[in-house]
Amino acid sequence: MEQICIVGNSGAARECYWLLQDVFASDPALADTRQFAGFYSWGGYAGELKSLSSHFRGPLEEHCEAKGRLYIIGVGKPQLRRDIFHFLKERGCALMNLIHPSASVCPTAVMGEGNILHRGSTLYDHSVLGNGNYLNGAVNLAHDAAVGDFNFIAPYGMVLGNARMGSCNHLGPYSVVLDRARIGDDNLVAPGSIIYKGCKDNCRMAGNPALNIGKNFTPSPAPGATR
């Protein structure tokens, strides 16, 4: 029996738990091969599991095991998703793509590992989604769009045809990356912003058309983590 572990012990982790329950409900046969094993904290975060607190198993750093386990990164912040992903991969762990039954992935789409697709999210024809991304509800990647690693895209975000986005970006709700736009790494896009041409790295983008309103400072990787 493969054990499914959620790394994270707060709101995003709780969302992942209920997404996982929907996955099990849509395919009861999965219960014969996989079961939920619990939540694991990262970086000493106190967390807030509320009614799910009985499922907390302790810090990942002390309980990480590769054999017989499949991990879900239940953390929203892109840089933390990156650090957790590398921590797990360096220890030979497998990561699960958690895809809600109502999400749609085109057969021609390409997807890495450790991604989360909330309800109503869609990967269209020949779109590419890298590793460790969090699509937080009704997010659309249009045809031929390419998204890198560890991005967080809030509900109703869209990356349109032939657009390109790097890694560790945070896109607010209802933000849109227009067709053929280019976005670098570690950017923060405000809710409702429309990206026409794109931006480089470490920018704060806001408005329609979105303008760079300042530098987005991001933390360094955790000790032992690689970019």
Side-chain angles (χ1 to χ4, degrees):
M1 180 75 71
E2 196 166 34
Q3 306 292 306
I4 298 178
C5 307
I6 296 177
V7 183
N9 58 339
S10 196
R14 286 186 271 122
E15 288 184 358
C16 289
Y17 173 84
W18 293 112
L19 284 177
L20 183 61
Q21 301 314 303
D22 286 346
V23 170
F24 280 130
S26 70
D27 186 1
L30 284 176
D32 296 332
T33 59
R34 294 178 176 178
Q35 66 178 11
F36 176 63
F39 297 96
Y40 293 84
S41 62
W42 171 257
Y45 186 65
E48 190 180 17
L49 286 173
K50 296 188 175 182
S51 62
L52 300 174
S53 59
S54 63
H55 296 292
F56 181 64
R57 300 292 179 258
L60 177 67
E61 296 90 335
E62 298 177 11
H63 298 280
C64 183
E65 297 180 17
K67 186 177 179 180
R69 288 190 174 185
L70 195 58
Y71 288 89
I72 295 168
I73 304 177
V75 174
K77 189 173 181 62
Q79 290 75 21
L80 293 180
R81 295 186 62 77
R82 173 198 64 197
D83 293 348
I84 295 166
F85 182 93
H86 288 306
F87 179 90
L88 291 169
K89 295 302 292 183
E90 288 165 4
R91 287 154 182 79
C93 299
L95 287 96
M96 177 180 178
N97 282 322
L98 178 58
I99 303 173
H100 190 268
S102 69
S104 177
V105 179
C106 182
T108 61
V110 177
M111 179 164 51
E113 59 180 321
N115 295 292
I116 297 168
L117 275 64
H118 270 246
R119 294 170 177 83
S121 294
T122 303
L123 306 187
Y124 283 104
D125 183 52
H126 285 91
S127 60
V128 177
L129 185 67
N131 300 311
N133 296 283
Y134 197 117
L135 277 55
N136 195 24
V139 172
N140 288 325
L141 268 60
H143 68 87
D144 304 298
V147 171
D149 305 323
F150 321 123
N151 297 285
F152 179 91
I153 305 180
Y156 302 101
M158 291 188 287
V159 182
L160 299 184
N162 291 290
R164 298 287 182 268
M165 184 163 69
S167 298
C168 291
N169 297 288
H170 183 123
L171 273 64
Y174 293 96
S175 57
V176 179
V177 181
L178 292 179
D179 55 294
R180 302 187 183 277
R182 299 290 185 265
I183 291 182
D185 303 329
D186 297 297
N187 296 292
L188 178 64
V189 179
S193 297
I194 312 296
I195 305 290
Y196 282 75
K197 292 185 178 180
C199 61
K200 295 182 179 180
D201 302 334
N202 299 105
C203 298
R204 288 177 176 262
M205 303 294 291
N208 179 11
L211 301 175
N212 184 357
I213 61 171
K215 188 173 179 61
N216 186 42
F217 295 96
T218 56
S220 300
T226 56
R227 290 204 62 168

